[in-house]
Amino acid sequence: MSKVRVTFNEELCKGCELCKNACPKGIIEMAGYINAMGYHPAKLVNPQECVGCGFCALMCPDLVIKIEKEEIK
Amino acid sequence: MSKVRVTFNEELCKGCELCKNACPKGIIEMAGYINAMGYHPAKLVNPQECVGCGFCALMCPDLVIKIEKEEIK
Amino acid sequence: MSKVLMKGNEVIGEAAIKAGCRYFFGYPITPQSELPEYLSRRLPEIGGVYLQAESEVAAINMVYGAAATGVRVMTSSSSPGISLKQEGISYIAGSELPCIIVNIMRGGPGLGGIQPSQSDYFQATRGGGHGDYYLIVLAPASVQEIADLVKKGFDLAEKYRNPVMILGDGMLGQMMEPVDFGVETSGDSFDKSWATTGKNGRKKSNIVNSLYLKPEELEVHNRELEKKYLEIKSKETMAESYLTKDAEIVVAAYGMTARIAKSAVDMAREEGIRAGVFRPITLWPYPEKELNAATVSAKGVLTVEMSLGQMVEDVKLSLNGRLPVEFYGRVGGMVPTARAIFEEIKRMSEKFGGVK
Amino acid sequence: MSKVLMKGNEVIGEAAIKAGCRYFFGYPITPQSELPEYLSRRLPEIGGVYLQAESEVAAINMVYGAAATGVRVMTSSSSPGISLKQEGISYIAGSELPCIIVNIMRGGPGLGGIQPSQSDYFQATRGGGHGDYYLIVLAPASVQEIADLVKKGFDLAEKYRNPVMILGDGMLGQMMEPVDFGVETSGDSFDKSWATTGKNGRKKSNIVNSLYLKPEELEVHNRELEKKYLEIKSKETMAESYLTKDAEIVVAAYGMTARIAKSAVDMAREEGIRAGVFRPITLWPYPEKELNAATVSAKGVLTVEMSLGQMVEDVKLSLNGRLPVEFYGRVGGMVPTARAIFEEIKRMSEKFGGVK
Amino acid sequence: MAVVFDRPKSLTDAKFHYCPGCHHGIIHRLVAEVLDELGLQDRTVGIAPVGCAVFAYDYFDVDCIEAAHGRAPAVATGVKRTRPDTIVFSYQGDGDLASIGMAEIVHAAARSENITVIFVNNAIYGMTGGQMAPTTLIGQKTTTSPLGRKSELTGYPIKVCELLATLPGATYLARTSVHDPKNVRQTKEAIKKAFQLQVEGKGFSLVEVLSACPTNWHMKPVQALDFIKNDMMNYFPLGQFKSPEEAK
Amino acid sequence: MAVVFDRPKSLTDAKFHYCPGCHHGIIHRLVAEVLDELGLQDRTVGIAPVGCAVFAYDYFDVDCIEAAHGRAPAVATGVKRTRPDTIVFSYQGDGDLASIGMAEIVHAAARSENITVIFVNNAIYGMTGGQMAPTTLIGQKTTTSPLGRKSELTGYPIKVCELLATLPGATYLARTSVHDPKNVRQTKEAIKKAFQLQVEGKGFSLVEVLSACPTNWHMKPVQALDFIKNDMMNYFPLGQFKSPEEAK
Amino acid sequence: MLKQIMIAGFGGQGIMSMGQLMVYSGMIEGKEVAWIPSYGPEMRGGTANCSVSISDDPISSPHVTEPDILIAMNNPSLDKFEMSVKNGGVIFINSSLIDRKIKRKDVKVYYISANDKATELGDVRVANMVMLGALLKIDKLVKIDSIMESLKKVLSKSKHHLLPLNAQALEIGAREIGNN
Amino acid sequence: MLKQIMIAGFGGQGIMSMGQLMVYSGMIEGKEVAWIPSYGPEMRGGTANCSVSISDDPISSPHVTEPDILIAMNNPSLDKFEMSVKNGGVIFINSSLIDRKIKRKDVKVYYISANDKATELGDVRVANMVMLGALLKIDKLVKIDSIMESLKKVLSKSKHHLLPLNAQALEIGAREIGNN
Ligand SMILES: Cc1ncc(C[n+]2csc(CCOP(=O)(O)OP(=O)(O)O)c2C)c(N)n1
Ligand SMILES: Cc1ncc(C[n+]2csc(CCOP(=O)(O)OP(=O)(O)O)c2C)c(N)n1
Ligand code: SF4
Ligand code: SF4
Ligand code: SF4
Ligand code: SF4
């Protein structure tokens, strides 16, 4: 398994839960707090379980999610 | 053969020749004179040869032609 | 009848129903959508037809067809949509069909904005469409007056066989005030023998048309329209005058702006400035006589509009140089404040007025 | 360059080409079809594009798109078709794009007729579309002037980034007169850095738009437009005065009607009546100063139009009550005769004039 | 002697203004015959188009409304929705229906308005002097395609029946021709079926009739028949594209 | 670490104004990714519609023109005909394209304008507050069909791809959805193909994307995915309705 | 001096081109000219007329309502325009198609059997040139040479073999004046 | 006498219905009333405000630019409207969401922790009623009874079980005044 980093730009998140719904590993949850727009932002709860499928990013309408992978030489 | 009468209301005729073209017996010709609109009207040259198919009337765009038939009792 | 509290846009719909209108063809656009939405609920309940057309162009032509059958019919839109209807409106006027067209104006030109505006005055009163024709243009200033003018509008439309426009702005459309709809009416008393409803035994067929290829015939038709317009001009003007009797400065304004102007005049009066408001209710025909009557003691007229200055031309034409006419306007959805108008009144009173 | 004999409609096309216009989008309608037909032959010859749109609505929006890319582009229609373009025209004005829109007017309202008329004056000068905007409206009175004004029109359009309308009637469009096209030009000298042609390395993207949802922003935009309109008003009026210096009766007329009025004035002069003609060439901005200058010795102004009376309002607004203004009009495709105008002049001269 | 063929009752006595050999006259007659035969004259409202048939209101002896260019289906909708008992038909040319009026015809069909459309496809703008229409054939010369229509510039002719057939709301769609007696008869049958369906409240019906414009085709009327048969029918196949049995 | 997913270059930094869970955002991103991948950003002109995507010009970092409601294909035509080297796309909702803009889209396709249309079908008018669209499903409640759309009154939803497929000028027509990652990927492929064809000068291409409007559907965003999958896709089948291989 | 001519007849009688030739010639001669057509509403058939203005000075109104000269090619045209001709004006009548005489006494009238003469020349379509020949005999509005030069420019090369026929027709028309 | 009130906050805070209840009540009491909403351009979220006019005499302008009373439900609303309040006017502040104090000295200010109180009552959505209760304690614009009567009419039958909760909220709001 390649190493991935999934980061959420919380200030853009509208809490729609489409990423959470798409995540095959069920590791995205909504935060208890709200951001400046008044939404509960999504966040990764168990980053180490992430398989790097990118489904969350594909489904996010608001470009909240950035994915980085370790380069395989 | 049933008896038919085909009459042309010459003043409505625009000399388009569609009736002449449609007549299977070739008995419609254009008159040498012109009507009030300046057209050479169509007329029947050999009425007795008419088979009463009504093609001329079907094709006439200007309702020039009237067809009557002897009633068969 | 007791009063109910309703939004202006919805009142247009209910008033139309109360006036016997059962047919509405429209297309959604802000800030008038409450009206079609209201009628989409209400009309089916009472056996009427609400139909959302594919466009404003289609909507106005559906209205044309419906009006041709002699029924009371209405359409509604806001500025860009009204522009699209101009050809159809010209046809309706040319064919002398009655109907009501509602324009709840928003800021323009182009896509503009969705906030209140009065910048379609020229279009409404000068024929945005082609050819010599006029709409009867009614400009209510309160929710109650909407109800009254919609009813009156249907009657005028049928009396003169002429399209009537209800011209308002988004603020008026969305405002809630109490309204009393009065008694229900219908257009049954008007002659509809011209309507195209199938011959039904009639000898001659009825034809609704505005085509006259021979110029001599078209001129006759145009002259008949002209006669009608002159009659409407002489008989159907409506206006309200507020404290104008002794006013040195008269504010001319219509619709919501006129109400704000009243507040401004109240402020002025408190400071001892003799100001008043002249509010045309019919924008076409323009109440020229009434304006002149309301300005007998005036030293100057201030026209206030939510536009760069449109009705001000009618004010000038009506006064024909008799009085100085100045203009104050806000645009783009900005609403003039009573205070700003008051400042203008004060300025003009200092410029033209006598001693306070 | 030597003169050629051509029809007015075709001259519009050729003059546009001579001014560097290579793009035309239109839809057939009498009495202007010679223009698109001419361009459908000519434009492909010189690498231009003639495209028949599916409707006038589509045509004006194609013009909007083409104008956005910074090219010289033209469309043309007649009255009902121009009504359909009103939304698009308002967008073009609101987005500040240059282009030429030709209206060869016919009788209205509705389907009306196909003979000459001047009954779209209000629509052209008062914004038939929604919102506060103005077109620059040019009214040629001869085939040569068509050629000159089409060229000038493109320059004005680009100088002010504002749509220009060429307003004529079917008689002018179908008339043949000799014409000299002069030297070829193009719009290359005008700034086009705003055009949407792809960023091509530009840092900021260009946006052509008329939407400003925040009223504060829309008001700023409207005020900028207002400033531009005021500048055009102060700089770009054009008019011709014919024998007005000592005229007691001045006939105000535009386009073909003005030429007929000249013949009428010639008749009047023969009978010793001091008459003249004031012919506005720009209908918007209206040559107010020029009209006042042309009427210094006048006792009355007679406005003549092929309409029920539209430009007469601008005459009145310009004179502001200084002189009596009367109106004579023919409608529906009927053309006023020189003799009839002469009779009116005579009548007015007897009513208002001094001794002959 | 009994009259077996004469002017139908649903036509007035007015002389057609159409050019010699123009098929509008034939199609007018067929519509009128159908109205007669179905006994509909007294409750019919016709919608005249902007096009050569602009004076249709002078010819059909039924109540008529002159529509703006392309908007006949919207006008018809206004009539039918307010007077459901009337029989409403629009009569439209190809410029009117397939160019400027495309949105209105598609939506009338989509809504399944219970109206009948007589669509006269002569592949050109007749009234205005022979400009290109959306139905003009590739290569065909018109006043605005002086070198012949080129697909690179203006695409391909629109097949209206095929287009509308994609809409469940379109109940009956047929393309016919009147270039010979047999086809005239079939056209009449199609028109009759269309009106019959309206009477039964079955929804939107349209009959597209291929039709000659000898004047603007620059052909003798008889020659124009061949153009229909050989050129038009080649691109615009005749037939029934939708019938109530399969609709919806 | 290498960035494998991030904001595409052809989008500006502006925050979308769309509602939570609205698919406009996904579709914007896909278009921008395709422009990036094909290297078209610098020569692209986008046409924004009147609809929720009215501010598209703030989001796409390309030259943009705001079109009047429904007229984007005409505006695009004006651009492409005068600047054939630009890449022109319009981005339109279903009210914009299938209702008021029906004539313009049909004729742009008929002419085979060399443009790309991104057609966002959310079965409703979003911007104006949830009125019925020509694509609204039977039974679907909207503010102007408060009891659910009834076919007797308003007919049947229009299938745009199927309708345009009857036009030889339409080169590429596909319907996709973005309700799950797989379909998001397929949508992107379709959009890429559409732009690629335009680059090659192959003519008119359109991608219809089934899209959620949670706000006006009165659903949670996740629930809206199911509505697409179960209801919309049932009436609007996904697929390729025209491809350049078979076109013309 | 300004001269205004009204030419009227059936569509197809060469009304429009007759007028166009006159203004073309006038332009060649450096005169001010204008030509305005007017059609009936019919696509085919119906009446047609055009008005021609030729002048040494700029033309005020090219809209002709009181012509100096009327060329009437058929009956309805004569009926329509007879009374409009200026006091002292001239009317040219195509007597091949117009059977009646002029009632007015204040105008000069010429009866030219244009169709017959043209038919004699072998082509009825040059009846218009016969009329034009007659007109130019009476009023030297423009030179015959200019007309021939204009014809050369207006006719496509392939039609240049018709030039002699047209010249003949003009001449015959001029000669017909002698018979009046 | 004319009283004008501006109510402003987030969409979803019940701003619009608070104003509507007031004018409804005023109407019941036979007063002249008007209500004007104003939304931001967003479909979802964003700010919302409405203005209310209640008067014994016909209302000239219902367009409120200088309110007698301001109810500010959140920070941006206070920023936007604070300065517009008439000299001598009253400002009600939802101190649950607004952290700052008023700078102006010429107005009377009440701080009501509406959200907190509503949450205590078990439903944050009645925060608007808490504010209304406070307002009506200070200014007897309309009667509490009228508000309750209006509520009964405005709420659908199925929601009538919420009436006591709303009554409680009004009362708590009134009581909060004492703590100011
Ligand atoms: C809005 C508008 N645009 C254009 C016209 C001009 N016009 C009249 S008829 C016509 C075309 C008619 O062609 P078609 O529909 O094919 O019918 P046809 O004449 O061939 O029978 C046009 C463009 C008009 N009257 N109104
Ligand atoms: C001519 C005109 N008519 C109507 C409107 C109002 N309007 C704005 S957006 C819209 C509908 C948009 O719906 P859709 O195209 O489905 O896009 P969505 O908002 O759902 O993305 C309408 C009718 C307008 N601006 N202009
Ligand atoms: S999909 Fe995007 S906007 Fe929606 S919850 Fe996830 S990160 Fe937030
Ligand atoms: S078809 Fe009719 S109009 Fe034509 S020639 Fe025959 S009779 Fe005359
Ligand atoms: S122009 Fe064509 S369509 Fe029109 S009447 Fe003549 S032949 Fe018929
Ligand atoms: S209203 Fe619908 S389409 Fe518009 S932004 Fe919200 S969810 Fe999207």
Side-chain angles (χ1 to χ4, degrees), chain D residues 72 76 95 135 149 163 197 238 271 279 286 294 312 351:
Chain D
R72 294 198 153 184
S76 164
S95 309
L135 306 178
L149 289 182
T197 55
M238 288 189 276
E271 300 217 356
R279 178 173 74 88
Y286 200 78
V312 64
K351 190 165 155 195

Side-chain angles (χ1 to χ4, degrees), chain D residues 3-182:
Chain D
K3 291 199 172 185
V4 289
L5 193 67
M6 280 176 84
K7 283 194 173 187
N9 281 333
E10 298 188 343
V11 168
I12 300 174
E14 189 59 35
I17 288 174
K18 290 288 189 314
C21 170
R22 293 292 176 272
Y23 304 98
F24 179 91
F25 302 90
Y27 188 78
I29 187 167
T30 309
Q32 60 80 57
S33 294
E34 293 88 357
L35 167 52
E37 287 170 6
Y38 181 83
L39 288 176
S40 75
R41 282 195 307 277
R42 279 286 280 139
L43 282 173
E45 286 171 13
I46 52 170
V49 174
Y50 163 87
L51 188 65
Q52 188 171 305
E54 57 270 33
S55 69
E56 290 86 352
V57 172
I60 194 71
N61 284 287
M62 289 174 184
V63 166
Y64 173 71
T69 74
V71 301
R72 294 198 153 184
V73 59
M74 181 165 81
T75 186
S76 164
S77 190
S78 177
S79 310
I82 298 291
S83 290
L84 282 171
K85 293 186 195 219
Q86 291 306 325
E87 189 204 23
I89 292 175
S90 178
Y91 269 73
I92 292 174
S95 309
E96 300 194 76
L97 295 178
C99 69
I100 284 191
I101 300 154
V102 179
N103 181 4
I104 301 299
M105 293 177 278
R106 53 190 254 181
L111 193 44
I114 56 173
Q115 302 297 326
S117 159
Q118 298 184 313
S119 57
D120 301 350
Y121 180 94
F122 278 146
Q123 188 192 53
T125 60
R126 294 294 188 286
H130 60 285
D132 282 298
Y133 72 89
Y134 291 95
L135 306 178
I136 298 173
V137 183
L138 307 177
S142 71
V143 170
Q144 180 62 51
E145 202 177 33
I146 288 176
D148 301 339
L149 289 182
V150 166
K151 273 195 190 182
K152 169 122 199 169
F154 275 114
D155 286 348
L156 286 173
E158 290 185 343
K159 180 170 171 198
Y160 294 105
R161 290 187 59 188
N162 204 67
V164 167
M165 177 168 279
I166 303 285
L167 194 69
D169 64 63
M171 203 189 334
L172 181 66
Q174 265 143 12
M175 178 169 67
M176 278 181 134
E177 283 184 329
V179 55
D180 177 347
F181 287 103

Side-chain angles (χ1 to χ4, degrees), chain D residues 316-348:
Chain D
K316 286 183 182 165
L317 285 167
S318 300
L319 298 173
N320 199 26
R322 191 171 61 77
L323 287 171
V325 176
E326 300 207 352
F327 177 74
Y328 174 73
R330 291 301 297 275
V331 283
M334 300 301 292
V335 178
T337 63
R339 181 147 317 269
I341 299 174
F342 162 67
E343 295 297 342
E344 290 292 310
I345 293 173
K346 212 160 97 179
R347 190 184 53 69
M348 279 188 72

Side-chain angles (χ1 to χ4, degrees), chain F residues 75-158:
Chain F
V75 176
T77 298
V79 175
K80 191 73 181 191
R81 293 280 176 145
T82 54
R83 305 279 181 183
D85 290 341
T86 52
I87 296 299
V88 184
F89 76 94
S90 77
Y91 184 105
Q92 307 179 251
D94 46 307
D96 193 70
L97 181 141
S99 193
I100 191 170
M102 179 54 82
E104 285 74 17
I105 197 68
V106 166
H107 282 273
R111 284 192 307 266
S112 204
E113 287 298 338
N114 191 26
I115 59 171
T116 299
V117 176
I118 308 299
F119 169 36
V120 178
N121 179 357
N122 61 12
I124 208 157
Y125 285 59
M127 178 78 164
T128 40
Q131 294 83 6
M132 201 188 89
T135 46
T136 294
L137 298 181
I138 300 299
Q140 194 180 335
K141 283 186 191 169
T142 71
T143 55
T144 54
S145 58
L147 305 174
R149 179 174 183 171
K150 291 200 174 68
S151 63
E152 312 86 79
L153 290 176
T154 56
Y156 297 85
I158 295 178

